[in-house]
């Protein structure tokens, strides 16, 4: 711009530049203000107000940049230029970065304060000119009113354009350290574990908190925590003054969130028997909110909620309740409270979801952790995170070949109970339980394990927790009664108004829900139904229970069946009386057997007493208890030929004759290989008692006649194969009753009774190994044909039909074979399920009678 010197413009501009240099430069002379006013007025009168303002601000910017800003960033150069390892060493220092940051902010804020005074000098000069020139007041007012905001913008721009990348990190470290120190002071002793059990009330403790945090009052004794908050507030205020408002809020916000998450991790831990959420919420009010209340008050940002100047309020907060030590919170504090609570819920939720597998293993002892998780999910709505994470844990930790079927089923039942607490409608259980059910369907012993778990009296808990003697079936029956009572109470006590309110609060099912299932308001979780769904049919479960019940009843040495009757009654409730009819007849057989035994023994005793000396010549009938079964209603029984001693055979014959006399025309057909025998063996220096199966008793009783037998001779006497005898007689050698030696024939061993304990000690090592072997052999034997064996026997009838169909049609799918058998097999009628047919066809493939290609079955060539 060219100025005409004829009217003194150049002189005025030169004077303005000189005075600006004196004011803004190194001298810093504020006394030039009165001399500056006429020069500025002269330049403004010539229309150079904009030039005056821009030149003045440019001088301020250059001075601020070269002096204050450069020195400010230089204080952080050691940290900026250090490596990651060296920066960790900086953070370890107790006074870093507080000392550096406080000093740097103090210096630069002093420089900024002086420059603001310089700006005010120019503003006063401009305003003085405006008062003298009324006709130019609008233009001059615009220049003076925008001068200070432009200066503030300039300061922020200079600092942000020269900002080192590590400065936000320095602020984060500062606020984390200060807040951690503040938390330690507020906690009282530095042991944060005590906070979990601390009682927060509205008494003296809260008043003490209030007095500590009330840092504006001149009459309040400045405590250590108050000084700490005041120092933090001063740093925040200085940073805001320099234009770092957003960066500062982000830094102390992240520090508060970090402290909150650390506290949640500390309180939660691995103890799932203690509720955590309540302690976390109390800690939020006791530490972060108290700090924020004091900080906002110090900064002047705490506006009363009911104040008209509070602006637009959150729609989530109508009229908030008062906080301890704070009273009615401000709008900003209320937003902070909701924000912190959300982060607390989300952090605790993620912790509990990550450990949900362990929590369910410990259920119901871990019920407090489940309740915390339920509240967190209701607040955050992140149920899908639970489903995805838990399914992943199940597949990695439970659904593996190394886990037993029994463990998987117990974990499944615990999962049902725990998720029922979280979501009573069962929506999320559907998604979580499906992988478990699919995996269990591929295990052969699933049905047997389910029946055992339902009836074994452990309540479905591996730890055996719960009422003693209660099985899972009784527990399920109690749950069903409680649900029915709850539903009855709900419908009885619900009036029309409540029904209308419930309809207004209706919500659709979440996206994870199966659309084929009923509404969540009508859906009930039936644990037994979920167990049956694994098998596919309740008939399979009933058949397996029938086989297990038969084995249990046949192995009884008495007629105590009260627990079995109770279990049967519970099963009848769930499966119906018709399904359990055969099982009921089996139990009635034992009841009738007890009565029949008593009648026959009484009758035989009277007969024996009429014949002199009969008691001494024969075995007493009192030692015999016969289990009389209706064979048409029992599962197929494994039979084995066995020749018992003559005295025992005579006793069985007398019992059968008397039964025929009493129950004409019914007759007894003895299954001599079944039952139990109580023996007392007497030797020269000892006596031993055993409870064994009949074949073991038959073997050892032969040694009354002869103390030594060869294996072949003894097998012929008992009527069993030699290999079976060698396997069974190992029981007696393992007990030290018999010794084994090699005879003339290598395959024909000699067994001799051991009369002396010294001989037993010599064979002790061999006997231990023989005992273990014998126990394993006995466990593999069963008196009742298994469900698989029965099914294979029943399906053998249809083998010819299947081979004929494949001969005519070449190849067929599983569904086509199934439907064809249902249509054309009239005698015997085909009533098997698709899964049973698939299992039978797999057996034919294993026997190399059939082969399977691309889902088609065809004859093996």
């Amino acid at each position: 711009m060219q100025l005409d010197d004829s009217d003194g413009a150049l002189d005025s501009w030169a004077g303005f530049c000189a005075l600006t240099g004196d004011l803004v430069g190194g001298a810093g002379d504020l006394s030039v203000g009165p001399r500056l006013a006429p020069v500025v007025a002269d330049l403004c009168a010539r229309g150079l107000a904009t030039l005056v303002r821009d030149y003045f601000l440019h001088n301020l910017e250059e001075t601020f940049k070269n002096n204050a800003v450069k020195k400010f960033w230089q204080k952080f150069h050691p940290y900026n230029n250090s490596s990651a390892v060296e920066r960790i060493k900086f953070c370890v220092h107790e006074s870093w970065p507080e000392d550096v940051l406080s000093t740097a902010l103090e210096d630069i804020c002093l420089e900024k304060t002086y420059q603001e005074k310089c700006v005010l000098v120019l503003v006063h000069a401009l305003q003085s000119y405006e008062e003298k020139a009324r006709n130019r007041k609008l233009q001059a007012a615009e220049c003076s009113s925008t001068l200070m905001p432009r200066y503030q913008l300039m300061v922020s721009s200079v600092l942000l354009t020269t900002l080192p990348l590590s400065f936000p990190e320095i602020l984060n470290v500062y606020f984390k350290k200060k807040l951690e120190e503040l938390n330690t002071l507020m906690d009282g002793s530095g042991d944060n574990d005590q906070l979990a059990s601390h009682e927060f009330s509205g008494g003296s403790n809260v008043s003490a908190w209030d007095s500590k945090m009330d840092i504006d009052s001149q009459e309040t004794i400045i405590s250590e925590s108050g000084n700490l908050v005041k120092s933090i507030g001063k740093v925040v205020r200085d940073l805001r003054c320099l234009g770092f408002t957003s960066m500062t809020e982000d830094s102390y916000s992240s520090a508060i969130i970090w402290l909150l998450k650390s506290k949640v991790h500390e309180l939660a831990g691995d103890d799932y028997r203690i509720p955590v959420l309540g302690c976390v919420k109390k800690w939020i009010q006791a530490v972060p909110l108290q700090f924020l209340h004091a900080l906002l008050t110090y900064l002047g940002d705490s506006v009363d909620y009911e104040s008209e100047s509070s602006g637009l309020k959150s729609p989530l907060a109508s009229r908030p309740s008062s906080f301890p030590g704070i009273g009615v919170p401000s709008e900003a504090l209320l937003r902070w409270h909701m924000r912190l609570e959300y982060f607390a819920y989300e952090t605790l939720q993620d912790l509990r979801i990550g450990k949900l597998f362990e929590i369910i293993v410990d259920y119901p002892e871990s019920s407090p952790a489940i309740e915390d998780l339920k509240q967190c999910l209701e607040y955050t709505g992140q149920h899908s995170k639970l489903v995805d994470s838990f399914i992943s844990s199940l597949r990695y930790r439970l659904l593996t070949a190394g886990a037993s079927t029994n463990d998987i089923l117990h974990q499944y039942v615990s999962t049902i109970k725990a998720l029922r607490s979280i979501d009573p409608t069962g929506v999320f259980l559907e998604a979580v339980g499906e992988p478990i059910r699919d995996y269990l369907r591929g295990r052969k012993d699933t049905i047997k394990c389910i029946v055992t778990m339902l009836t074994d009296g452990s309540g479905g808990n591996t730890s055996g927790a719960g009422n003693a003697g209660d099985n899972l079936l009784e527990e399920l029956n109690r749950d069903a009664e409680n649900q029915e009572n709850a539903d009855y109470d709900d419908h009885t006590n619900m009036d029309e108004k409540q029904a209308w309110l419930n309809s207004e609060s209706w919500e659709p099912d979440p996206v994870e829900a199966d659309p084929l299932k009923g509404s969540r308001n009508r859906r009930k979780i039936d644990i037994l139904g979920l167990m049956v769904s694994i098998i596919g049919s309740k008939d399979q479960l009933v058949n397996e229970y029938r086989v297990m019940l038969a084995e249990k009843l046949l192995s009884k040495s008495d007629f105590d069946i009260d627990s079995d009757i109770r279990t049967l009654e519970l099963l009848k409730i769930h499966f119906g009386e018709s399904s359990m009819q055969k099982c009921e007849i089996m139990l009635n057989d034992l009841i009738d057997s007890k009565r029949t035994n008593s009648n026959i023994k009484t009758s035989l005793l009277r007969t024996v007493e009429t014949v002199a000396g009969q008691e001494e010549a024969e075995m007493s009938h009192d030692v015999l208890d016969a289990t009389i079964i209706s064979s048409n209603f029992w599962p197929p029984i494994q039979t084995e030929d066995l020749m018992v001693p003559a005295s025992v055979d005579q006793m069985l014959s007398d019992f059968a004759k008397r039964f025929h006399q009493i129950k004409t025309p019914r007759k007894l057909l003895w299954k001599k290989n079944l039952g139990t025998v109580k023996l007392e063996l007497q030797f020269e220096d000892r006596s031993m008692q055993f409870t064994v199966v009949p074949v073991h008793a038959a073997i050892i009783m032969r040694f009354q006649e002869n103390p030594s037998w060869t294996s072949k001779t003894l097998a012929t006497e008992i009527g069993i194969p030699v290999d079976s005898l060698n396997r069974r007689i190992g029981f007696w050698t393992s007990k030290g009753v018999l010794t084994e030696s090699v005879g003339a024939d290598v395959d024909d061993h000699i067994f001799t009774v051991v009369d002396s304990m010294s001989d037993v000690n010599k064979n002790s090592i061999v006997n231990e190994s023989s005992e273990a072997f014998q126990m394993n052999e006995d466990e593999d034997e069963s008196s009742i044909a298994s469900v698989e064996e029965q099914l294979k026997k029943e399906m053998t009838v249809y083998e010819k039909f299947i081979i004929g169909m494949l001969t005519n049609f070449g190849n067929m799918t599983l569904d086509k074979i199934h439907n064809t058998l249902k249509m054309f097999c009239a005698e015997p009628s085909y009533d098997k399920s698709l899964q049973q047919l698939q299992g039978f066809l797999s057996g034919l493939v294993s026997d190399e009678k059939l082969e399977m290609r691309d889902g088609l079955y065809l004859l093996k060539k």
Side-chain angles (χ1 to χ4, degrees), residues 464-482:
N467 297 333
D470 285 4
N471 54 38
L472 181 59
L473 206 59
E474 292 175 311
E475 183 180 342
L476 298 181
N477 190 57
R478 286 196 302 270
D479 290 347
E481 291 178 354
N482 293 336

Side-chain angles (χ1 to χ4, degrees), residues 181-189 198 204-217 219-231 286 290-291 293-295 298 325:
E181 182 182 352
L182 183 64
N183 177 57
T184 303
L185 289 173
M186 290 184 169
D187 196 17
S189 64
H198 186 67
S204 59
N205 286 339
V206 174
S207 301
W209 280 115
D210 195 30
S211 63
K212 286 182 181 180
M213 307 302 287
D214 187 9
I215 57 177
D216 285 330
S217 176
E219 299 177 357
T220 304
I221 299 176
I222 300 178
S223 64
E224 188 176 359
S225 58
N227 290 331
L228 184 58
V229 174
K230 188 173 182 179
S231 66
Q290 295 284 355
F291 163 72
H293 173 64
L295 180 63
Y298 180 84

Side-chain angles (χ1 to χ4, degrees), residues 61 64-65 68-70 72-73 108 112 151-168 171 238-251:
E61 179 179 352
F64 188 71
K65 183 187 298 183
V69 175
K70 187 176 181 180
F72 181 74
W73 295 131
I108 196 172
K112 181 175 178 290
Y151 171 76
Q152 298 290 352
L153 181 61
M154 179 271 294
V155 170
S156 300
S157 301
V158 171
L159 287 169
L160 292 175
T161 53
T162 58
L163 179 74
L165 295 178
S166 61
F167 187 67
L171 293 183
D238 291 345
L239 288 170
R240 281 185 170 189
C241 179
L242 297 175
F244 294 125
T245 302
S246 178
M247 185 184 302
T248 304
E249 291 180 354
D250 290 343
S251 295

Side-chain angles (χ1 to χ4, degrees), residues 31 44 95 152 161 197 214 258 268 278 286 307 324 352-353 370 385 570 595 617 709 718 775 860:
S31 62
C44 290
S95 60
Q152 298 290 352
T161 53
S197 60
D214 187 9
W258 167 81
S307 174
R352 292 307 187 216
I353 288 178
I370 291 292
K385 185 183 292 187
L570 293 173
R595 183 171 55 252
W709 291 83
I718 298 176
M775 290 176 64
K860 184 76 173 179

